[in-house]
Amino acid sequence: MPIKSFIKKFGKGAATKQVYIYETWLRWIARGIQFILAVVVAGLYGHRVDVDHRAGNAQAAAWVYALLVAGLSCITCLVYAIPNPFGKLQPHRLFAWDLILFVLWIAVFGVFAAIFLHRDEDEYEGTSVALMKCAVWVDLVNAIFWVCTGVYGCVRTFVGRKVNGKIDQYSDKVEGSFNAKVDQYAGAATNNFSMKLNPMRKETEYV
């Protein structure tokens, strides 16, 4: 029966697709947080770079490096937000890039932690020490998020078949229970509908 088969197919797709939708939303949330944190760091360190530029001073290498890492992180998050940006190559398979960004963020954290965390004065070379201490911890949070997405991508890449197998098992289980419900309700509805149509068919046959 076409309607019955359509209901079964639609019900299975709607149920199993939720698993992948949840995974996609969680990934987008993580990328969104990474993007926001990178923008915050770019704003904190970019102010110092802009002040040096306006004053005609030489650019401090540490601040420029931090801006570079923040910029790469922002671009990466934007690219990964595009559905299938690399065709059939899924973004989680590029976990090595996430881990590279983790190392870069750890370097940013280490450099600025060494400069500011032990200082008690209000300013250092015209920069607020209190503000930079906050930036140091934002750097660390950035590193943590990038190592988390990198590890997730690694696990998803090498254990992906097992995960997909579990999803398929869940899909089959949902399909079985859903088909039973469809057979129960659709069968009863079909019988009632046929009973209503049969008298009409008999009348046409007699005519």
Side-chain angles (χ1 to χ4, degrees), residues 185-199:
Y185 293 108
T190 302
N191 292 334
N192 292 335
F193 186 69
S194 299
M195 291 176 62
K196 291 181 180 180
L197 287 181
N198 283 338

Side-chain angles (χ1 to χ4, degrees), residues 147-170:
V147 73
C148 287
T149 54
V151 170
Y152 163 79
C154 180
V155 172
R156 190 72 174 85
T157 297
F158 294 107
V159 195
R161 291 183 180 179
K162 293 184 179 180
V163 173
N164 291 335
K166 292 292 185 182
I167 294 176
D168 289 338
Q169 290 179 6
Y170 169 76

Side-chain angles (χ1 to χ4, degrees), residues 2 5 15 20 30 41 58 61-62 76 93 100 107 125 131-132 134 146 154-155 160 181 201 203-204:
S5 61
Y20 297 102
V41 169
T76 300
R93 294 185 178 275
I100 289 173
E125 296 184 357
L131 185 62
M132 288 297 101
C134 294
W146 283 104
C154 180
V155 172
K181 293 291 183 181
R201 291 178 180 175
E203 290 179 1
T204 55

